[in-house]
Amino acid sequence: KQEVTQIPAALSVPEGENLVLNCSFTDSAIYNLQWFRQDPGKGLTSLLLIQSSQREQTSGRLNASLDKSSGRSTLYIAASQPGDSATYLCAVRPQGGSEKLVFGKGTKLTVNP
Amino acid sequence: EAGVTQSPTHLIKTRGQQATLRCSPISGHTSVYWYQQALGLGLQFLLWYDEGEERNRGNFPPRFSGRQFPNYSSELNVNALELEDSALYLCASSLAIKRGAYEKLFFGSGTQLSVL
C-alpha cells in the first residue's frame, strides 16, 4: 500500500529565505508526482507535475525534483515571500490500476515578513 | 476558461439528513474525482468517475455515492449523515486517462459540509 510522508509538518522562515520541503513515498511504482498548494479552507492549486521519467520541473521560484528509485521528492522555494504562506501537499499517482492520487498530510509553511 | 466549480460552498445539515454536493469539471475534462479532507486526516480518495461510469471508490461506506452526468458534471450524495462526515469535500477533474500520460488534476474550491 502506497504511503506518502511529508516532513516537516510545519515550517516557519523569515522572508527572503530559500527553503526545501520534503516528500517521501514507499512504493516507487508511480506514474507521476504532483505538488499542490492549499490556502486555509480553500481547494488545491496545482504547482508542479513531474512524470516518472522526469527528474525535475521548474516554475518561477519553484523547483521540484523527483528521485523515484529512492522514493523522494523535494520542493525548493527560492526567495520566499509572505504570500507563499500556505500548506504544501505532495501526491503520487500509483501504478497498478487504481488511478487515484495518494496524498501526504502536507507541510504548513509560514513566511514571516 | 472556467476552472472546476463546486456548489454549494458551505452546507449545514443535521445528523441523519442527506447532503448533495455538485461539481462541474473544466471544459473538455471527462474524469471527475471526489476527495474528503477531514480535519487532521489529510485528503482521502472517495470516488472516481470517467465517461459517465464509476471507475473506483475509496474505503468509504455505501452511504457515500454519486454519479456523473452526460455533460461530465458530477454529484456526490451522502446519506444518513454522521457527525464525522463534517469535512471539506473537494472535486477534481482531468483529461481522460486513455489519452496517454496521466494528466494533472485540477481541483475546485470545495464544499465545506458541517453536520450538527
Side-chain angles (χ1 to χ4, degrees):
Chain A
K1 177 187 171 188
Q2 177 73 264
E3 292 182 359
V4 179
T5 304
Q6 292 186 248
I7 294 173
L11 181 64
S12 182
V13 300
E15 182 177 2
E17 191 163 297
N18 302 326
L19 59 101
V20 174
L21 306 180
N22 297 296
C23 172
S24 62
F25 46 97
T26 54
D27 188 341
S28 61
I30 63 170
Y31 287 117
N32 60 43
L33 183 146
Q34 197 166 350
W35 282 93
F36 296 89
R37 169 190 171 131
Q38 186 175 30
D39 293 286
K42 303 291 186 184
L44 276 64
T45 300
S46 179
L47 297 173
L48 291 163
L49 171 72
I50 312 176
Q51 302 290 353
S52 62
S53 57
Q54 297 175 323
R55 295 291 297 213
E56 65 178 324
Q57 284 285 323
T58 298
S59 176
R61 294 182 294 108
L62 305 179
N63 176 275
S65 68
L66 174 64
D67 184 341
K68 199 174 72 162
S69 61
S70 68
R72 295 178 189 272
S73 176
T74 60
L75 179 67
Y76 174 82
I77 302 177
S80 59
Q81 303 170 357
D84 294 331
S85 298
T87 296
Y88 291 81
L89 296 155
C90 79
V92 299
R93 190 190 283 271
Q95 295 181 6
S98 71
E99 312 308 350
K100 65 187 182 187
L101 292 184
V102 179
F103 283 84
K105 292 192 176 180
T107 294
K108 184 176 181 181
L109 173 65
T110 302
V111 181
N112 301 300
Chain B
E1 179 181 324
V4 178
T5 57
Q6 292 187 245
S7 63
T9 53
H10 293 86
L11 190 57
I12 300 174
K13 295 284 186 178
T14 56
R15 283 181 61 188
Q17 286 189 312
Q18 184 212 28
T20 298
L21 288 64
R22 296 180 176 84
C23 172
S24 292
I26 291 172
S27 177
H29 286 189
T30 61
S31 272
V32 171
Y33 303 76
W34 287 95
Y35 284 82
Q36 181 197 65
Q37 188 176 33
L39 206 59
L41 292 182
L43 278 106
Q44 303 292 319
F45 168 74
L46 261 169
L47 289 160
W48 169 40
Y49 292 95
D50 184 55
E51 299 280 358
E53 294 191 17
E54 182 180 304
R55 301 292 186 179
N56 200 358
R57 66 179 291 131
N59 189 24
F60 282 83
R63 55 191 188 82
F64 286 84
S65 65
R67 53 181 171 167
Q68 186 177 35
F69 299 98
N71 66 354
Y72 303 113
S73 67
S74 177
E75 199 172 84
L76 173 68
N77 295 294
V78 188
N79 294 319
L81 285 165
E82 300 179 2
L83 297 178
E84 54 264 34
D85 296 334
S86 294
L88 181 66
Y89 289 83
L90 292 166
C91 171
S93 74
S94 74
L95 292 171
I97 60 169
K98 66 185 178 184
R99 294 189 183 220
Y102 291 90
E103 302 286 345
K104 188 182 293 188
L105 256 64
F106 294 85
F107 281 79
S109 297
T111 293
Q112 184 66 54
L113 173 64
S114 299
V115 182
L116 307 178

